[in-house]
Amino acid sequence: MLSKKNKEALFNPLSKDNPVLVQILGICSTLAVTASLKPAIVMGIAVIAVLAFSNVIISLIRTTIPTTIRIIVQLVVVAALVIIVQQFLVAYTYDVSKQLSVFIGLIITNCILMGRLEAFALNNRPWPAFLDGIGNGLGYTAILVIVAFFRELLGSGTLLGCHVIPQWCYDHGYENNGLMILPPMALITVACIIWVHRARNKELQELN
Amino acid sequence: MEELNLFIKSIFIDNMIFAYFLGMCSYIAVSKNVKTALGLGVAVTFMLTVTMPINYALDKYVLQEGALSWLSPSLADVDLSFLGLIMFIAVIASGTQLVEMAVEKFSPSLYASLGIFLPLIAVNCAILGGALFMQQKDFGSAATATVYGLGSGIGWLIAIVGLAAIREKIAYSNIPAPLRGVGITFIITGLMGIAFMSFLGIKL
């Protein structure tokens, strides 16, 4: 069940081959939904689900897809799964789905999906493809949660909507940094994570 | 007049890159030099402008609740809006394919210079995002939607050309090793985003 190769498919994307930090895929949504923690977690779970199941489906039909139309086939499979997730979110967590607005729909064009389908699901059996989907989804979610943690903590002084910075800090002149909520700081937060990550993994550093 | 306001607003204030982070993957990957960045920017602008009215018509006359009533009154309570995503992406993917074939036939030199960017546009979030925002903003006419598409495309073009120009210059700077490449590109984009935020207060 978990041979060495399968373990690599599952665990490599968490750090060494992280979809966001190393493969630079799926940046749009990483940046856009991370102003607070809750939508980030929901988005992460949605991406894990879509990624794992689309990987399995594409892997099951990989021998029957003609290569010339594979992109359209992949898009249709992904779009169908995203519609299911979207309807599910609207039904059960309406306010979060409002917050995420178009970004659930944009999972379709999330590069992680196309990237993994092209690079892994098309040449692997369903079980490793499933693990690869889960692994990459988790790697993506981890970055989402880290970015959202710092942005929500520093930007609004809350975590998951609960106040964590005590009132006496504000009484002594502490201020929430409103800039952290704004879009540009998401980019700079991700840049700092990349900085730390590459300082620890020297082999990932680029020459220029 | 309203269209002009929308046009300027979609270029500067609601900029696809700096306000919504759409089309970020190709934005980071294809911004190493100005020439290719310009090619991709023009292709994205073109696709946004072309697909926007098609998707608008699709949304208004097929997908929205009661949109099918022009066919027959008995269809007035049919709501197909849950099919929106799959229809939009189909329009965009087939549009990209058509544009690719047309460009290949009529202007092989342009085709050669754009190369792989043309098919990649199908999965550029800026195009699908434009369609979804169009649906959300509920424009009055197809012309308004087209103006919105053109404006968003030009905003994207300005952003990617600007970033490419900065990255060409930054090749001569001494950047800390872990930040080289992607890291510094993110920081530059963030700073450009802060600069673009100065347009925020403008009321049009």
Side-chain angles (χ1 to χ4, degrees), chain A residues 24 28 87 106 111 183 191 206, chain B residues 21-22 25 82 125 182 187 190 197:
Chain A
I24 317 295
C28 320
Q87 300 290 324
L106 287 174
C111 337
E206 291 168 58
Chain B
F21 308 115
L22 294 179
C25 305
F82 67 94
C125 345
V182 182
I187 293 185
M197 269 165 51

Side-chain angles (χ1 to χ4, degrees), chain B residues 107-124:
Chain B
S107 167
S109 61
L110 180 65
Y111 181 76
S113 67
L114 281 178
I116 51 154
F117 304 135
L118 270 175
L120 273 184
I121 292 171
V123 285
N124 187 317

Side-chain angles (χ1 to χ4, degrees), chain A residues 28 102-103 106 108-111, chain B residues 14-18 20-27 40-41 43-45 47-49 51-52 55 89 92 120-134 148-157:
Chain A
C28 320
V102 301
F103 288 98
L106 287 174
I108 297 177
T109 49
N110 192 321
C111 337
Chain B
D14 288 340
N15 189 291
M16 278 284 177
I17 298 263
F18 300 127
Y20 299 113
F21 308 115
L22 294 179
M24 215 58 187
C25 305
S26 39
Y27 176 79
L40 183 68
V44 166
T45 310
M47 280 309 293
L48 262 170
T49 319
T51 54
M52 200 64 90
N55 280 334
I89 199 72
I92 292 165
L120 273 184
I121 292 171
V123 285
N124 187 317
C125 345
I127 318 249
L128 182 63
L132 294 175
F133 278 124
M134 175 269 294
Y148 176 71
L150 181 65
S152 310
I154 293 177
W156 203 89
L157 173 81

Side-chain angles (χ1 to χ4, degrees), chain A residues 92-165:
Chain A
Y92 290 100
T93 54
Y94 188 71
D95 51 326
V96 179
S97 80
K98 271 272 166 276
Q99 246 173 334
L100 289 169
S101 75
V102 301
F103 288 98
I104 286 291
L106 287 174
I107 295 179
I108 297 177
T109 49
N110 192 321
C111 337
I112 293 184
L113 283 156
M114 292 304 280
R116 291 329 293 174
L117 293 178
E118 284 279 302
F120 201 90
L122 277 178
N123 341 307
N124 282 283
R125 300 171 64 81
W127 175 243
F130 179 75
L131 290 178
D132 180 79
I134 298 275
N136 277 286
L138 282 176
Y140 170 83
T141 311
I143 303 304
L144 230 61
V145 169
I146 297 173
V147 176
F149 175 82
F150 284 112
R151 283 184 76 193
E152 189 176 353
L153 182 67
L154 300 176
S156 6
T158 58
L159 284 178
L160 285 169
C162 310
H163 288 272
V164 286
I165 297 196

